[in-house]
Amino acid sequence: MPASRTDSPADHGRIEDVDVSSEMQTSFLEYAYSVIYSRALPDARDGLKPVQRRILFQMADMGLRPDRGHVKSARVVGEVMGKLHPHGDAPIYDALVRLAQPFSLRVPLVDGHGNFGSLDDGPAAPRYTEARLAAPALALTENLDEDVVDFIPNYDGQFQQPEVLPAAFPNLLVNGTTGIAVGMATNMAPHNLIEVVGAATHLLENPEATVEELMEFVPGPDLPGGGIIVGLDGIKDAYTNGRGSFRTRAKVSIESLGPRRTGLIVTELPYLVGPERVIEKIKDAVNAKKLQGIADVTDLTDRHHGLRLVIGIKTGFDPQAVLEHLYRLTPLEDSFSINNVALVEGQPQTLGLRELLRVYLDHRISVVTRRSRYRLARRNERLHLVEGLLIAILDIDEVIQVIRTSDDGEQARGRLMSVFDLSEPQAEYILELRLRRLTKFSRIELETERDNLKKEIAQLEELLGSDVLLRAQVAHELDAASEAFGTPRRTLLLNGGPVQPRSRAAAAAADLQIADAPCRVFLSATGRMVRAELVADAPGGGIVAPARRSKHDAIRSAVDTTTRGDLGAVTSHGRLVRFSPVDLPSVPANSVQLAAGTRADQYLGLSGGEHLVAIVPLTGTSPIALGTAQGVVKRVAASELGNKHDIEIIALKDGDRVVGAAPASDAAELVFVASDAQLLRFDASSVRPQGRSAGGMAGIRLTDGAQVIAFDVVGPSEFDAVVVTIAGSTTAIAGTDAGSAKVSLFSEFPAKGRATGGVRAHRFLKGEDALTLAWVGTAPRALGSDGTTRALPEAGAKRDASGAPLDGVVGAVGTGVR
């Protein structure tokens, strides 16, 4: 309906009719655009909202560098509010706080001092906290004084601010963002800087790269608090079209809390979930009788040891079953919806992974181009002045005479330009010259500076004239940022499914006894673990033959167990780590794909330099046999393994490590293969079982400089076992010499006594001096370093024959999936 409006006091008495609907529509659109562009959505180039960009720029302008002291946060807020951001101090401080929180950002941009809040509590007031820029923020704001981006006026036109920051790394993908605008919202997950830079450089070198190729570098988000991401389908959707979702789980281990008392230890939580929220939800579920089996919950989190939430389990309840219910009823499992909405040239767009990287790379190419042009112009200007100054120094007496005989500065400048053929800037620079610059040493300095300037100008002109060199420079700077600020991945990715919600009836106490179905756990030759259900109607009750093969489907160990059973993981440090396969990725029984498995070292939480050697059953009667690199052999009785989560099963000497492990009954044979091509096989019965603390006994006698590269157990039923040996040169660069390989029948090698040197297993060709890889077992399959299959020679070669040249480097050998 029409409305009346008086425009101004000067028009008093003049009434103008306005259409209310049109006026409301126009006003709402202006408001919506202001919220979208000026508040809620980040720019796809630097990944920052306006308030965040203004905070970082103003702090850089204030000189709050990492090598200087902190200042009160209230001072930063006041400077930003007074000069750049004409809104309330509360939202400015909230943005500043988030930039400093390590649990919110994967790479924090502000170094906060004081209480900047936690996952459960807010920060202290700005008068109590202090702040300065973190080192990564300098990479976002560097080179602003070199015309790398456009500057725009602030709200009242008194100051200038950058339209976008140069951003030396893809901040939007690395730190993510969240925001609610009018009619739209954005919610982006943080990622690993090293992985994102890898994808960016790959796209820079291969502009037509697909999302699948980029996901080889960025397999999924990397959340600041770690945790576990289950199910990757939603992530692929988000990377393809900008929208998707995934579920995150807490990292939980089952540990003994005392005699006959077990607990769940939570050390990592889903993104932005705090321990107090988890405790509250657990109490609510217990009080509502939706959750049983919980004895108590204790929060032992502190600054020195990090998050540690201890959930005690009542006697008689299965901890793994209780954990499954905790996943369903509490934030120990949470969802994250990805909505990649960002501003591109001022317009909100939903972007996939490829588009996000493309927008950023275009921005960086523009930044490097503008910076190079600026530097080229400055160096040309400086060269022009230096050349003029050199002219003056060469004939300084005449220059002084010209200046002394001039009436004023204007006349002196004109006469210098005329007499010495100088430009006006050169003449002006000479007039301002200090007498101390007229020494012989100054002339040498100027000539050196002139030569350096010419070299730099030539390099800059070459850079600006070549698109290849420009892209290479962008890639080099990205790699530098990755090396300076990158950290290892924190979030474990599991290609399994989340815990599905159940009805109230299904959540009864009886459900705590989850099905303990038979399964087979595989450890691949490339260090991945996966679980496959056993099929009752398969031949022998085993696994149905796979429909196809893929990368990583060579087996190092395979153990039959149950879903909630216990297995032992033997590591190179001589430890046995007890674990349950319930959380391992599950694959279809009719198509065992080990590539779908998870990294064993991440799943078990092994320390740096330690790797998984084998998985072994803990319920059998056969002792566990181990062989070390220094030729020590040991069998550990099953009764010695106990029930502890982590035990030492061999006392290793300094510098020694376990190279192989497997169950070995008295009827089995133990096999050592040394780097000097000696193989020794002997009866397992000659090695008496020992306790956990024992150091073993002599297995194979090694020559000087040799070490054991393979230790295997051959059972009495493995009549078709073969020995695979691969020889090469120890002086060749790793990964460059494919070497030669030989496959011989195991029966070709005579048995010898324990602690002897064995027999020769491979004759070296010219240029070969050692075995680089060996393996003993059935149905061998060789893999390259990228997981692809490598062809091996046919079995049947003589035990001491030479090998046949390989078509590629072999990184691992195992048993093919059967």
Side-chain angles (χ1 to χ4, degrees), residues 252-278:
V252 186
S253 61
I254 300 174
E255 297 182 13
S256 175
L257 302 181
R260 298 179 298 279
R261 189 161 181 257
T262 304
L264 303 175
I265 310 300
V266 182
T267 53
E268 295 176 6
L269 287 171
Y271 186 41
L272 299 181
V273 173
E276 291 185 11
R277 178 183 166 196
V278 173

PDB file of all heavy atoms in Angstrom, residues 252-278:
ATOM      1  N   VAL A 252      38.930 -43.308  21.119  1.00  0.00           N
ATOM      2  CA  VAL A 252      38.683 -43.968  22.398  1.00  0.00           C
ATOM      3  C   VAL A 252      39.474 -45.266  22.448  1.00  0.00           C
ATOM      4  O   VAL A 252      39.520 -46.019  21.464  1.00  0.00           O
ATOM      5  CB  VAL A 252      37.179 -44.263  22.596  1.00  0.00           C
ATOM      6  CG1 VAL A 252      36.927 -44.825  23.989  1.00  0.00           C
ATOM      7  CG2 VAL A 252      36.349 -43.012  22.366  1.00  0.00           C
ATOM      8  N   SER A 253      40.097 -45.521  23.564  1.00  0.00           N
ATOM      9  CA  SER A 253      40.776 -46.798  23.782  1.00  0.00           C
ATOM     10  C   SER A 253      40.218 -47.463  25.025  1.00  0.00           C
ATOM     11  O   SER A 253      39.704 -46.796  25.932  1.00  0.00           O
ATOM     12  CB  SER A 253      42.290 -46.592  23.926  1.00  0.00           C
ATOM     13  OG  SER A 253      42.568 -45.759  25.049  1.00  0.00           O
ATOM     14  N   ILE A 254      40.280 -48.782  25.048  1.00  0.00           N
ATOM     15  CA  ILE A 254      39.824 -49.562  26.203  1.00  0.00           C
ATOM     16  C   ILE A 254      41.048 -49.939  27.019  1.00  0.00           C
ATOM     17  O   ILE A 254      41.947 -50.609  26.523  1.00  0.00           O
ATOM     18  CB  ILE A 254      39.049 -50.815  25.745  1.00  0.00           C
ATOM     19  CG1 ILE A 254      37.829 -50.410  24.914  1.00  0.00           C
ATOM     20  CG2 ILE A 254      38.634 -51.647  26.950  1.00  0.00           C
ATOM     21  CD1 ILE A 254      37.085 -51.577  24.313  1.00  0.00           C
ATOM     22  N   GLU A 255      41.082 -49.496  28.276  1.00  0.00           N
ATOM     23  CA  GLU A 255      42.239 -49.750  29.125  1.00  0.00           C
ATOM     24  C   GLU A 255      41.794 -50.261  30.480  1.00  0.00           C
ATOM     25  O   GLU A 255      40.650 -50.054  30.909  1.00  0.00           O
ATOM     26  CB  GLU A 255      43.056 -48.460  29.310  1.00  0.00           C
ATOM     27  CG  GLU A 255      43.639 -47.900  28.028  1.00  0.00           C
ATOM     28  CD  GLU A 255      44.471 -46.661  28.259  1.00  0.00           C
ATOM     29  OE1 GLU A 255      44.800 -46.391  29.449  1.00  0.00           O
ATOM     30  OE2 GLU A 255      44.806 -45.966  27.283  1.00  0.00           O
ATOM     31  N   SER A 256      42.726 -50.910  31.146  1.00  0.00           N
ATOM     32  CA  SER A 256      42.475 -51.393  32.497  1.00  0.00           C
ATOM     33  C   SER A 256      42.683 -50.256  33.477  1.00  0.00           C
ATOM     34  O   SER A 256      43.727 -49.586  33.466  1.00  0.00           O
ATOM     35  CB  SER A 256      43.407 -52.564  32.812  1.00  0.00           C
ATOM     36  OG  SER A 256      43.256 -52.967  34.163  1.00  0.00           O
ATOM     37  N   LEU A 257      41.684 -50.046  34.338  1.00  0.00           N
ATOM     38  CA  LEU A 257      41.764 -48.987  35.348  1.00  0.00           C
ATOM     39  C   LEU A 257      42.175 -49.528  36.713  1.00  0.00           C
ATOM     40  O   LEU A 257      42.336 -48.762  37.656  1.00  0.00           O
ATOM     41  CB  LEU A 257      40.426 -48.264  35.470  1.00  0.00           C
ATOM     42  CG  LEU A 257      39.878 -47.628  34.192  1.00  0.00           C
ATOM     43  CD1 LEU A 257      38.551 -46.929  34.479  1.00  0.00           C
ATOM     44  CD2 LEU A 257      40.878 -46.650  33.598  1.00  0.00           C
ATOM     45  N   GLY A 258      42.319 -50.828  36.828  1.00  0.00           N
ATOM     46  CA  GLY A 258      42.664 -51.462  38.087  1.00  0.00           C
ATOM     47  C   GLY A 258      42.287 -52.933  38.036  1.00  0.00           C
ATOM     48  O   GLY A 258      41.865 -53.445  36.991  1.00  0.00           O
ATOM     49  N   PRO A 259      42.440 -53.641  39.142  1.00  0.00           N
ATOM     50  CA  PRO A 259      42.069 -55.065  39.166  1.00  0.00           C
ATOM     51  C   PRO A 259      40.593 -55.264  38.811  1.00  0.00           C
ATOM     52  O   PRO A 259      39.712 -54.691  39.440  1.00  0.00           O
ATOM     53  CB  PRO A 259      42.356 -55.487  40.613  1.00  0.00           C
ATOM     54  CG  PRO A 259      43.339 -54.472  41.118  1.00  0.00           C
ATOM     55  CD  PRO A 259      42.998 -53.189  40.429  1.00  0.00           C
ATOM     56  N   ARG A 260      40.343 -56.048  37.753  1.00  0.00           N
ATOM     57  CA  ARG A 260      38.989 -56.394  37.297  1.00  0.00           C
ATOM     58  C   ARG A 260      38.131 -55.152  37.030  1.00  0.00           C
ATOM     59  O   ARG A 260      36.929 -55.165  37.210  1.00  0.00           O
ATOM     60  CB  ARG A 260      38.300 -57.302  38.327  1.00  0.00           C
ATOM     61  CG  ARG A 260      39.004 -58.626  38.536  1.00  0.00           C
ATOM     62  CD  ARG A 260      38.292 -59.471  39.570  1.00  0.00           C
ATOM     63  NE  ARG A 260      38.259 -58.818  40.881  1.00  0.00           N
ATOM     64  CZ  ARG A 260      39.274 -58.821  41.740  1.00  0.00           C
ATOM     65  NH1 ARG A 260      40.398 -59.424  41.426  1.00  0.00           N
ATOM     66  NH2 ARG A 260      39.173 -58.218  42.899  1.00  0.00           N
ATOM     67  N   ARG A 261      38.775 -54.058  36.570  1.00  0.00           N
ATOM     68  CA  ARG A 261      38.034 -52.831  36.254  1.00  0.00           C
ATOM     69  C   ARG A 261      38.554 -52.258  34.939  1.00  0.00           C
ATOM     70  O   ARG A 261      39.753 -52.056  34.776  1.00  0.00           O
ATOM     71  CB  ARG A 261      38.181 -51.796  37.368  1.00  0.00           C
ATOM     72  CG  ARG A 261      37.260 -50.587  37.196  1.00  0.00           C
ATOM     73  CD  ARG A 261      37.100 -49.834  38.498  1.00  0.00           C
ATOM     74  NE  ARG A 261      36.192 -48.701  38.329  1.00  0.00           N
ATOM     75  CZ  ARG A 261      36.596 -47.439  38.223  1.00  0.00           C
ATOM     76  NH1 ARG A 261      37.881 -47.155  38.280  1.00  0.00           N
ATOM     77  NH2 ARG A 261      35.713 -46.463  38.073  1.00  0.00           N
ATOM     78  N   THR A 262      37.621 -52.024  34.040  1.00  0.00           N
ATOM     79  CA  THR A 262      37.966 -51.550  32.705  1.00  0.00           C
ATOM     80  C   THR A 262      37.300 -50.201  32.460  1.00  0.00           C
ATOM     81  O   THR A 262      36.226 -49.917  32.996  1.00  0.00           O
ATOM     82  CB  THR A 262      37.515 -52.559  31.638  1.00  0.00           C
ATOM     83  OG1 THR A 262      38.091 -53.827  31.945  1.00  0.00           O
ATOM     84  CG2 THR A 262      37.963 -52.144  30.249  1.00  0.00           C
ATOM     85  N   GLY A 263      37.941 -49.384  31.658  1.00  0.00           N
ATOM     86  CA  GLY A 263      37.374 -48.078  31.330  1.00  0.00           C
ATOM     87  C   GLY A 263      37.630 -47.690  29.894  1.00  0.00           C
ATOM     88  O   GLY A 263      38.467 -48.273  29.196  1.00  0.00           O
ATOM     89  N   LEU A 264      36.879 -46.697  29.434  1.00  0.00           N
ATOM     90  CA  LEU A 264      37.067 -46.115  28.110  1.00  0.00           C
ATOM     91  C   LEU A 264      37.834 -44.808  28.283  1.00  0.00           C
ATOM     92  O   LEU A 264      37.412 -43.927  29.040  1.00  0.00           O
ATOM     93  CB  LEU A 264      35.718 -45.848  27.445  1.00  0.00           C
ATOM     94  CG  LEU A 264      34.780 -47.051  27.290  1.00  0.00           C
ATOM     95  CD1 LEU A 264      33.425 -46.602  26.732  1.00  0.00           C
ATOM     96  CD2 LEU A 264      35.402 -48.095  26.377  1.00  0.00           C
ATOM     97  N   ILE A 265      38.946 -44.675  27.589  1.00  0.00           N
ATOM     98  CA  ILE A 265      39.787 -43.485  27.697  1.00  0.00           C
ATOM     99  C   ILE A 265      39.615 -42.667  26.426  1.00  0.00           C
ATOM    100  O   ILE A 265      39.985 -43.108  25.333  1.00  0.00           O
ATOM    101  CB  ILE A 265      41.271 -43.853  27.901  1.00  0.00           C
ATOM    102  CG1 ILE A 265      41.410 -44.866  29.041  1.00  0.00           C
ATOM    103  CG2 ILE A 265      42.078 -42.597  28.159  1.00  0.00           C
ATOM    104  CD1 ILE A 265      40.899 -44.368  30.373  1.00  0.00           C
ATOM    105  N   VAL A 266      39.040 -41.486  26.563  1.00  0.00           N
ATOM    106  CA  VAL A 266      38.807 -40.594  25.424  1.00  0.00           C
ATOM    107  C   VAL A 266      39.941 -39.573  25.383  1.00  0.00           C
ATOM    108  O   VAL A 266      40.126 -38.807  26.340  1.00  0.00           O
ATOM    109  CB  VAL A 266      37.450 -39.877  25.546  1.00  0.00           C
ATOM    110  CG1 VAL A 266      37.201 -38.996  24.324  1.00  0.00           C
ATOM    111  CG2 VAL A 266      36.325 -40.889  25.707  1.00  0.00           C
ATOM    112  N   THR A 267      40.704 -39.566  24.291  1.00  0.00           N
ATOM    113  CA  THR A 267      41.831 -38.642  24.157  1.00  0.00           C
ATOM    114  C   THR A 267      41.622 -37.610  23.047  1.00  0.00           C
ATOM    115  O   THR A 267      42.352 -36.630  22.988  1.00  0.00           O
ATOM    116  CB  THR A 267      43.124 -39.420  23.872  1.00  0.00           C
ATOM    117  OG1 THR A 267      42.920 -40.274  22.747  1.00  0.00           O
ATOM    118  CG2 THR A 267      43.513 -40.270  25.075  1.00  0.00           C
ATOM    119  N   GLU A 268      40.653 -37.834  22.173  1.00  0.00           N
ATOM    120  CA  GLU A 268      40.340 -36.860  21.124  1.00  0.00           C
ATOM    121  C   GLU A 268      38.836 -36.860  20.919  1.00  0.00           C
ATOM    122  O   GLU A 268      38.204 -37.913  20.950  1.00  0.00           O
ATOM    123  CB  GLU A 268      41.056 -37.209  19.804  1.00  0.00           C
ATOM    124  CG  GLU A 268      42.567 -37.117  19.877  1.00  0.00           C
ATOM    125  CD  GLU A 268      43.242 -37.560  18.583  1.00  0.00           C
ATOM    126  OE1 GLU A 268      42.508 -37.822  17.598  1.00  0.00           O
ATOM    127  OE2 GLU A 268      44.484 -37.630  18.549  1.00  0.00           O
ATOM    128  N   LEU A 269      38.261 -35.673  20.717  1.00  0.00           N
ATOM    129  CA  LEU A 269      36.823 -35.520  20.556  1.00  0.00           C
ATOM    130  C   LEU A 269      36.500 -34.985  19.168  1.00  0.00           C
ATOM    131  O   LEU A 269      37.370 -34.414  18.496  1.00  0.00           O
ATOM    132  CB  LEU A 269      36.264 -34.570  21.613  1.00  0.00           C
ATOM    133  CG  LEU A 269      36.184 -35.107  23.046  1.00  0.00           C
ATOM    134  CD1 LEU A 269      35.823 -33.996  24.017  1.00  0.00           C
ATOM    135  CD2 LEU A 269      35.182 -36.248  23.147  1.00  0.00           C
ATOM    136  N   PRO A 270      35.250 -35.160  18.707  1.00  0.00           N
ATOM    137  CA  PRO A 270      34.866 -34.549  17.429  1.00  0.00           C
ATOM    138  C   PRO A 270      35.054 -33.039  17.434  1.00  0.00           C
ATOM    139  O   PRO A 270      35.170 -32.408  18.489  1.00  0.00           O
ATOM    140  CB  PRO A 270      33.382 -34.940  17.300  1.00  0.00           C
ATOM    141  CG  PRO A 270      33.251 -36.184  18.103  1.00  0.00           C
ATOM    142  CD  PRO A 270      34.193 -36.010  19.264  1.00  0.00           C
ATOM    143  N   TYR A 271      35.053 -32.463  16.263  1.00  0.00           N
ATOM    144  CA  TYR A 271      35.337 -31.032  16.068  1.00  0.00           C
ATOM    145  C   TYR A 271      34.368 -30.169  16.871  1.00  0.00           C
ATOM    146  O   TYR A 271      33.147 -30.308  16.772  1.00  0.00           O
ATOM    147  CB  TYR A 271      35.218 -30.716  14.579  1.00  0.00           C
ATOM    148  CG  TYR A 271      35.614 -29.311  14.198  1.00  0.00           C
ATOM    149  CD1 TYR A 271      36.720 -28.690  14.750  1.00  0.00           C
ATOM    150  CD2 TYR A 271      34.881 -28.613  13.238  1.00  0.00           C
ATOM    151  CE1 TYR A 271      37.102 -27.412  14.378  1.00  0.00           C
ATOM    152  CE2 TYR A 271      35.250 -27.335  12.853  1.00  0.00           C
ATOM    153  CZ  TYR A 271      36.354 -26.733  13.428  1.00  0.00           C
ATOM    154  OH  TYR A 271      36.718 -25.473  13.061  1.00  0.00           O
ATOM    155  N   LEU A 272      34.930 -29.285  17.698  1.00  0.00           N
ATOM    156  CA  LEU A 272      34.205 -28.294  18.504  1.00  0.00           C
ATOM    157  C   LEU A 272      33.286 -28.922  19.546  1.00  0.00           C
ATOM    158  O   LEU A 272      32.324 -28.299  19.994  1.00  0.00           O
ATOM    159  CB  LEU A 272      33.401 -27.342  17.600  1.00  0.00           C
ATOM    160  CG  LEU A 272      34.232 -26.519  16.618  1.00  0.00           C
ATOM    161  CD1 LEU A 272      33.334 -25.601  15.811  1.00  0.00           C
ATOM    162  CD2 LEU A 272      35.311 -25.713  17.348  1.00  0.00           C
ATOM    163  N   VAL A 273      33.564 -30.152  19.950  1.00  0.00           N
ATOM    164  CA  VAL A 273      32.829 -30.804  21.035  1.00  0.00           C
ATOM    165  C   VAL A 273      33.724 -30.807  22.268  1.00  0.00           C
ATOM    166  O   VAL A 273      34.863 -31.269  22.217  1.00  0.00           O
ATOM    167  CB  VAL A 273      32.429 -32.243  20.658  1.00  0.00           C
ATOM    168  CG1 VAL A 273      31.825 -32.964  21.864  1.00  0.00           C
ATOM    169  CG2 VAL A 273      31.441 -32.234  19.505  1.00  0.00           C
ATOM    170  N   GLY A 274      33.208 -30.281  23.397  1.00  0.00           N
ATOM    171  CA  GLY A 274      33.982 -30.199  24.623  1.00  0.00           C
ATOM    172  C   GLY A 274      33.679 -31.329  25.573  1.00  0.00           C
ATOM    173  O   GLY A 274      32.599 -31.940  25.513  1.00  0.00           O
ATOM    174  N   PRO A 275      34.586 -31.635  26.489  1.00  0.00           N
ATOM    175  CA  PRO A 275      34.368 -32.739  27.426  1.00  0.00           C
ATOM    176  C   PRO A 275      33.168 -32.525  28.348  1.00  0.00           C
ATOM    177  O   PRO A 275      32.478 -33.487  28.693  1.00  0.00           O
ATOM    178  CB  PRO A 275      35.687 -32.804  28.212  1.00  0.00           C
ATOM    179  CG  PRO A 275      36.341 -31.473  28.008  1.00  0.00           C
ATOM    180  CD  PRO A 275      35.909 -31.010  26.665  1.00  0.00           C
ATOM    181  N   GLU A 276      32.915 -31.273  28.744  1.00  0.00           N
ATOM    182  CA  GLU A 276      31.775 -31.037  29.637  1.00  0.00           C
ATOM    183  C   GLU A 276      30.455 -31.356  28.949  1.00  0.00           C
ATOM    184  O   GLU A 276      29.524 -31.876  29.578  1.00  0.00           O
ATOM    185  CB  GLU A 276      31.786 -29.584  30.112  1.00  0.00           C
ATOM    186  CG  GLU A 276      32.933 -29.266  31.062  1.00  0.00           C
ATOM    187  CD  GLU A 276      32.850 -27.859  31.608  1.00  0.00           C
ATOM    188  OE1 GLU A 276      31.796 -27.200  31.411  1.00  0.00           O
ATOM    189  OE2 GLU A 276      33.822 -27.405  32.233  1.00  0.00           O
ATOM    190  N   ARG A 277      30.374 -31.065  27.674  1.00  0.00           N
ATOM    191  CA  ARG A 277      29.162 -31.403  26.925  1.00  0.00           C
ATOM    192  C   ARG A 277      28.985 -32.908  26.847  1.00  0.00           C
ATOM    193  O   ARG A 277      27.864 -33.421  26.982  1.00  0.00           O
ATOM    194  CB  ARG A 277      29.246 -30.792  25.534  1.00  0.00           C
ATOM    195  CG  ARG A 277      28.061 -31.108  24.636  1.00  0.00           C
ATOM    196  CD  ARG A 277      28.269 -30.529  23.257  1.00  0.00           C
ATOM    197  NE  ARG A 277      27.335 -31.078  22.288  1.00  0.00           N
ATOM    198  CZ  ARG A 277      27.465 -30.995  20.975  1.00  0.00           C
ATOM    199  NH1 ARG A 277      28.512 -30.370  20.461  1.00  0.00           N
ATOM    200  NH2 ARG A 277      26.587 -31.534  20.169  1.00  0.00           N
ATOM    201  N   VAL A 278      30.074 -33.643  26.659  1.00  0.00           N
ATOM    202  CA  VAL A 278      30.000 -35.103  26.608  1.00  0.00           C
ATOM    203  C   VAL A 278      29.549 -35.655  27.955  1.00  0.00           C
ATOM    204  O   VAL A 278      28.671 -36.530  28.031  1.00  0.00           O
ATOM    205  CB  VAL A 278      31.363 -35.696  26.198  1.00  0.00           C
ATOM    206  CG1 VAL A 278      31.346 -37.220  26.305  1.00  0.00           C
ATOM    207  CG2 VAL A 278      31.729 -35.282  24.782  1.00  0.00           C
TER     208      VAL A 278
END
